[in-house]
Structures are given as structure tokens and as C-alpha cells.
Amino acid sequence: PIDGENVETLMKNADMAMYKAKSLGKNQYIKCSENLKDSVLETMSLTNSLYSAIERNQMILHYQPQVNGLTGEIIGVEALLRWKHPEHGFISPFKFIPLAEKTRLILPIGYWVLKNACEQCKAWQEKGFKPIRMAVNFSVHQLNYPGIIEQIKEILEETSLEAKYLEIEITESTAMD
């Protein structure tokens, strides 16, 4: 009775546990628990919110300086995506990036990041700051997107940023994929 008092609830809870066990690898089992249910509900809620996060201006870019260790000079910046959810505050990228990849929302989000990062880099140049490289992280889904080269070219043209100031970064896991 704690796992469901009717067939529908029992099956839903069994499915939840089964999918969680499968995500952990072979030869696993998971019991349905309140923590598991809460985790699934939170994931569903965040996923639904993620669909409209860009339109609602909840995505923010922070820029982490890349510094020459010998001179202390800033030689570049890395664009870091942050999500400020209206109810939950800042959501960890370790939480929302996998959701974005799973739902393929990483493609429009990645486009938004690339465009805004290039615009910011060009804006700094136009204000007279020394030109520096802007590093943008790419996921495996972005790299596999058939139109990615054209998309990068388009953004560079739109923002008038020279390609030498854009650095595409991939993680080790992305390179392995």
C-alpha cells in the first residue's frame, strides 16, 4: 500500500524505480521512495521551466577571466551559463545542463550563449578594451548538429566579431563522445 493503492499509482511508481535503476547501469534495482518521487518531480518541474527560461530572461552569462600566470594580464574570458529560476534561485549547471542535453534544449540554449557571448566580446572591443578571446563551451549535441558551422559563421557575421577572438571549448567527456 505504500507504493500505490491502485494499479495506476503502483505502475507509475514501479516505472519511476525501473528508469532510475536503468540509469544506474545493469544489474541494479531501486525501491520507490519519497526521495525518488521528489527527485523525479523536481526534474520534471525543472525540465518544464527550462523550456521557457530563455524567453523569460532567466539565463545569465558570467565571464570568468583567463589570466596569464606570469604577467597577471587577462588574456581571455570563458562564458559561463547560469540559470536564475524565479522560485528556486540559481540552479546548478550540473543539474540543468544534463536536462538541456536530454531534451535537446541545449541547441537553442547553446545558440543563445554563443550569440550573447560574441555580442559581449565585440561590445568590450568597441568600448576600447584590448581585444581578448571569448571561450564558449559546446556540448556533443551542438558539435553533432549538422548546421553548427553555418550557425557559428552567421553569429560571427551578425556580431562583427573576428573568428580569432572566439574559442570553442569541449570537455574531455564531450571529446570522448
Side-chain angles (χ1 to χ4, degrees), residues 54 59-61 63 79-82 97 106-119 134-138 142 155:
I54 291 176
M59 294 294 176
I60 303 166
L61 286 180
Y63 300 97
L80 302 174
L81 180 62
R82 299 295 180 254
I97 296 295
I106 197 68
L107 296 175
I109 290 171
Y111 180 87
W112 181 89
V113 169
L114 183 62
K115 188 168 195 278
N116 282 275
C118 288
E119 286 173 349
M134 174 65 72
V136 177
N137 291 304
F138 269 46
Q142 289 172 276
I155 289 172

Side-chain angles (χ1 to χ4, degrees), residues 3 20 25 29-30 45 47-48 50 58 61-62 65 83 95 98 111 126 136 139-140 142 147 151 155 159 171:
D3 290 324
K20 180 64 176 176
Y29 75 91
I30 296 286
S45 174
T47 301
N48 289 337
L50 193 55
Q58 296 172 1
L61 286 180
H62 290 183
W83 180 16
K95 242 184 199 180
Y111 180 87
E126 289 173 348
V136 177
S139 78
V140 70
Q142 289 172 276
Q151 193 177 79
I155 289 172
T159 61
T171 61

Side-chain angles (χ1 to χ4, degrees), residues 116-161:
N116 282 275
C118 288
E119 286 173 349
Q120 182 61 64
C121 190
K122 185 63 178 177
W124 286 330
Q125 290 176 7
E126 289 173 348
K127 287 184 179 181
F129 292 104
K130 177 185 169 205
I132 56 174
R133 281 188 329 272
M134 174 65 72
V136 177
N137 291 304
F138 269 46
S139 78
V140 70
H141 299 292
Q142 289 172 276
L143 293 173
N144 287 331
Y145 175 64
I148 192 63
I149 300 299
E150 291 76 21
Q151 193 177 79
I152 293 170
K153 284 180 184 178
E154 174 188 306
I155 289 172
L156 289 172
E157 286 175 17
E158 281 179 23
T159 61
S160 301
L161 183 68

Side-chain angles (χ1 to χ4, degrees), residues 17-127:
M18 177 189 67
Y19 286 118
K20 180 64 176 176
K22 282 183 174 183
S23 76
L24 297 174
K26 294 185 177 193
N27 298 322
Q28 301 283 328
Y29 75 91
I30 296 286
K31 290 183 179 181
C32 188
S33 66
E34 286 305 313
N35 287 345
L36 177 62
K37 291 177 196 176
D38 291 345
S39 173
V40 168
L41 287 174
E42 179 189 30
T43 299
M44 286 173 47
S45 174
L46 288 177
T47 301
N48 289 337
S49 296
L50 193 55
Y51 277 96
S52 59
I54 291 176
E55 291 93 35
R56 293 181 178 167
N57 292 318
Q58 296 172 1
M59 294 294 176
I60 303 166
L61 286 180
H62 290 183
Y63 300 97
Q64 179 175 308
Q66 297 170 334
V67 180
N68 179 319
L70 297 174
T71 65
E73 175 186 20
I74 295 175
I75 56 172
V77 293
E78 180 178 0
L80 302 174
L81 180 62
R82 299 295 180 254
W83 180 16
K84 188 172 183 186
H85 192 281
E87 295 166 23
H88 304 293
F90 281 101
I91 307 292
S92 168
F94 295 109
K95 242 184 199 180
F96 77 83
I97 296 295
L99 292 177
E101 289 176 339
K102 185 177 177 183
T103 59
R104 299 282 191 188
L105 285 171
I106 197 68
L107 296 175
I109 290 171
Y111 180 87
W112 181 89
V113 169
L114 183 62
K115 188 168 195 278
N116 282 275
C118 288
E119 286 173 349
Q120 182 61 64
C121 190
K122 185 63 178 177
W124 286 330
Q125 290 176 7
E126 289 173 348
K127 287 184 179 181

